[in-house]
Amino acid sequence: NQMSPTEFRWFERRVYDTWLFGIENDTSGDSPLVRERLAEITREDLAALEEVASRHGNARGLRLFEERLQARLDSLEHQGPPPVDGVCEADAALLWSHRQRTIELRFDEHFEMHSRLRSEHSDVRVTMGEDD
């Protein structure tokens, strides 16, 4: 698909400058980074609990604690996208579903091209391939 430089700049600002910046700089408890770190810690705790159970037996208290940790992990892994000011819920859901790919496509290594496309007087047209 072809898009004009203006459309490209709008899209890039919307995705990277507004949405991705918003979720990466969220310091609330709903922050994706906070949730990911908490999920990682919970997985580590589950592994440690499994180790304790294998050494000392799987007591009822350990099973209950494991269920609690697993419920927390399930909750963390199945939460929807966090709200970002200026991005509607439907757009946020779409962007969230492609979050990892979006992060991987950061254009830092293409700074020169993006600087030209972001310039006020750019007349360059962007052509996206089928895979982009």
Side-chain angles (χ1 to χ4, degrees):
N1 297 323
Q2 289 189 351
M3 65 177 74
S4 71
T6 301
E7 184 179 12
F8 179 85
R9 286 189 306 268
W10 177 89
F11 186 76
E12 186 179 42
R13 285 183 183 122
R14 179 82 163 171
V15 172
Y16 290 96
D17 298 348
T18 301
W19 180 77
L20 192 58
F21 179 84
I23 64 170
E24 289 184 339
N25 291 289
D26 182 358
T27 57
S28 73
D30 257 354
S31 160
L33 298 177
V34 170
R35 290 185 337 207
E36 287 171 6
R37 181 65 184 131
L38 185 54
E40 181 182 320
I41 291 168
T42 303
R43 282 189 287 278
E44 291 169 1
D45 289 345
L46 280 166
L49 190 62
E50 187 177 306
E51 177 66 26
V52 168
S54 71
R55 287 184 184 190
H56 303 289
N58 199 4
R60 183 172 186 272
L62 290 177
R63 286 193 314 271
L64 291 173
F65 194 59
E66 179 182 14
E67 290 172 10
R68 179 181 170 95
L69 290 173
Q70 189 60 55
R72 177 193 302 157
L73 188 57
D74 292 344
S75 171
L76 289 166
E77 291 177 342
H78 294 99
Q79 287 183 351
V84 174
D85 288 340
V87 179
C88 73
E89 191 175 317
D91 287 351
L94 175 64
L95 293 170
W96 185 257
S97 69
H98 297 285
R99 178 173 171 249
Q100 190 57 43
R101 181 79 171 128
T102 301
I103 291 169
E104 292 168 2
L105 286 173
R106 279 187 207 260
F107 296 115
D108 295 339
E109 68 272 17
H110 303 294
F111 181 73
E112 182 181 338
M113 176 185 75
H114 286 267
S115 294
R116 290 183 64 207
L117 291 170
R118 283 183 168 219
S119 73
E120 296 280 330
H121 306 291
S122 176
D123 60 357
V124 177
R125 290 195 65 80
V126 178
T127 304
M128 304 291 275
E130 283 182 32
D131 296 334
D132 294 334

